[in-house]
Amino acid sequence: MNLKALVRHNIWNLVPYSSARSEFTGTASVFLDANENPLNSPYNRYPDPLQHEVKELIAGLRGVPAGQIFLGVGSDECIDVVYRTFCRPGVDNVVAMAPSYGMYEVCADINDVAYRRVPLTGSFGLDTEAMLTAADGCTKVMWICSPNNPTGNAFDLDEITALCRRFEGIVVVDEAYIDFSSRGSMLSRLNALPNLIVMQTLSKAWGSAAVRMGIAFASQEIIDIFNKVKYPYNINLLTQQYAADRLKRHGEVREWVELLLANRKALSEALGTLECVEKIFPSDANFVLVRVADADAIYDYLRRRGIIVRNRNRVEKCLGCLRITVGTAEENESLINALNDYGKV
């Protein structure tokens, strides 16, 4: 892959901001280089701009070298840095499957990048031939969400790999829900595919959506460019401290995932007994997509009962569907009881 040909010329030639903390490596006892207040330690000091401790912990868990890891303020920053690195505003375009996570398109609009939607197949399959046909000489990126939001299904790794090998641009695979899937991660193929970027997050299985930490894995060459583009101290000290502590307790997260998978199975079975439910789609995520008799009416009814689900009735290929997150056993029971009462009140 000719990375230089894909990266925006101004980004390739960019001289990044040199922060005080990035210029110095080693140990010291007196820091007089960053115009910091010497009082109120440790919050008076700028945080590690490259988040070394957190990346080392992620590296140990995911089997990817720390130098191939980028951390963003949620996956949204990781998405944005892809656009800012590869896509020339008003010139380049991206191709994405539809329906999928809405921020890919919003971020394209913000960066003035044309967004080309390619519908999934009737069974929510990935139409790789159509995606390749939609691309042209100005297509820099393809977006794949697997497991996909809102459909819930994960795609075959060999199918994604073939797309990476046939497409001459960047392929981003967003694995926000990967911990709930038995399909496996594209991280195992990262080093064989130089144009692949894999995104994950602490928001879902790790139960840390409020903390806002997204992860991008790629070749060290791509990560080095991302580190030039990002703002110097994008991940604050409190977030780094929390993330390090959470990552050290990964055994607890595995227990959470097992519980949620059991709850997902029980929720799907219970939904299948309801008259108002027409179809439950298979899920590799921590939610289920459900086609119901009247999505708008049922959504409003649940809202009045104090239960909030996501109405996907106006999303492409999701006509009549609600997206329901897997909750605790008690929350799921409240939902089922409410839906049992639907039409009786």
Side-chain angles (χ1 to χ4, degrees):
M1 181 184 66
N2 184 355
L3 185 60
K4 184 177 181 180
L6 293 175
V7 175
R8 292 168 55 190
H9 298 314
N10 64 305
I11 298 298
W12 185 267
N13 296 319
L14 176 68
V15 178
Y17 174 75
S18 180
S19 68
R21 290 297 170 263
S22 63
E23 289 180 351
F24 171 80
T25 58
T27 59
S29 58
V30 178
F31 289 94
L32 303 176
D33 58 341
N35 299 338
E36 299 155 325
N37 187 329
L39 309 175
N40 195 37
S41 179
Y43 306 110
N44 59 326
R45 301 297 181 188
Y46 288 105
D48 176 3
L50 294 178
Q51 312 95 28
H52 288 89
E53 180 186 7
V54 178
K55 288 179 179 177
E56 289 293 345
L57 290 166
I58 294 171
L61 290 171
R62 296 309 200 202
V64 176
Q68 291 182 240
I69 298 172
F70 172 85
L71 300 182
V73 181
S75 292
D76 294 342
E77 184 180 10
C78 299
I79 293 167
D80 186 60
V81 80
V82 169
Y83 281 104
R84 288 190 287 142
T85 297
F86 295 107
C87 299
R88 295 168 294 173
V91 177
D92 292 326
N93 66 77
V94 301
V95 170
M97 49 189 241
S100 196
Y101 180 45
M103 274 305 296
Y104 310 142
E105 186 166 8
V106 171
C107 204
D109 291 341
I110 291 170
N111 286 279
D112 193 20
V113 174
Y115 188 86
R116 299 182 176 181
R117 302 162 58 91
V118 176
L120 296 173
T121 66
S123 56
F124 295 150
L126 191 64
D127 194 339
T128 55
E129 292 301 327
M131 292 184 74
L132 290 166
T133 299
D136 61 21
C138 290
T139 305
K140 291 295 187 68
V141 179
M142 287 191 177
W143 293 98
I144 298 174
C145 186
S146 182
N148 188 35
N149 176 12
T151 60
N153 58 310
F155 303 110
D156 182 75
L157 300 187
D158 290 339
E159 188 175 20
I160 298 174
T161 298
L163 181 63
C164 290
R165 288 178 172 156
R166 294 177 65 187
F167 179 54
E168 296 181 354
I170 299 295
V171 177
V172 183
V173 180
D174 187 345
E175 295 185 341
Y177 302 95
I178 195 63
D179 296 286
F180 303 103
S181 175
S182 59
R183 283 274 193 170
S185 169
M186 284 297 292
L187 285 181
S188 62
R189 308 184 183 198
L190 190 65
N191 289 336
L193 301 167
N195 63 333
L196 173 64
I197 299 172
V198 177
M199 292 183 179
Q200 295 184 3
T201 181
L202 295 191
S203 293
K204 309 303 179 182
W206 293 84
S208 302
V211 176
R212 310 308 303 131
M213 180 173 282
I215 310 164
F217 304 87
S219 68
Q220 180 148 1
E221 292 77 10
I222 290 176
I223 297 300
D224 287 345
I225 296 171
F226 284 0
N227 286 332
K228 290 201 313 180
V229 173
K230 78 174 185 70
Y231 293 107
Y233 303 110
N234 61 325
I235 307 297
N236 67 70
L237 175 62
L238 295 173
T239 298
Q240 292 188 44
Q241 290 174 330
Y242 172 89
D245 178 67
R246 171 52 59 203
L247 290 163
K248 291 172 185 175
R249 293 187 285 145
H250 52 86
E252 184 179 18
V253 175
R254 283 197 297 269
E255 294 176 0
W256 291 349
V257 169
E258 290 175 4
L259 175 62
L260 290 172
L261 290 177
N263 287 357
R264 184 181 74 188
K265 182 175 184 292
L267 175 63
S268 296
E269 291 174 350
L271 287 167
T273 67
L274 301 175
E275 291 184 7
C276 63
V277 172
E278 298 178 351
K279 183 177 178 63
I280 304 162
F281 294 93
S283 176
D284 292 286
N286 68 330
F287 60 85
V288 289
L289 186 70
V290 182
R291 181 172 292 131
V292 295
D294 189 331
D296 291 344
I298 293 175
Y299 173 81
D300 289 338
Y301 162 76
L302 289 173
R303 181 174 51 81
R304 292 194 300 271
R305 293 281 296 257
I307 299 172
I308 308 302
V309 297
R310 198 75 188 270
N311 189 352
R312 302 285 79 187
N313 187 35
R314 291 164 183 80
V315 172
E316 185 175 358
K317 291 187 176 291
C318 294
L319 181 66
C321 290
L322 301 176
R323 193 193 70 192
I324 302 173
T325 304
V326 177
T328 64
E330 294 76 17
E331 290 171 331
N332 295 342
E333 184 179 11
S334 295
L335 170 72
I336 297 301
N337 289 339
L339 290 175
N340 262 322
D341 294 338
Y342 179 70
K344 302 176 183 178
V345 293

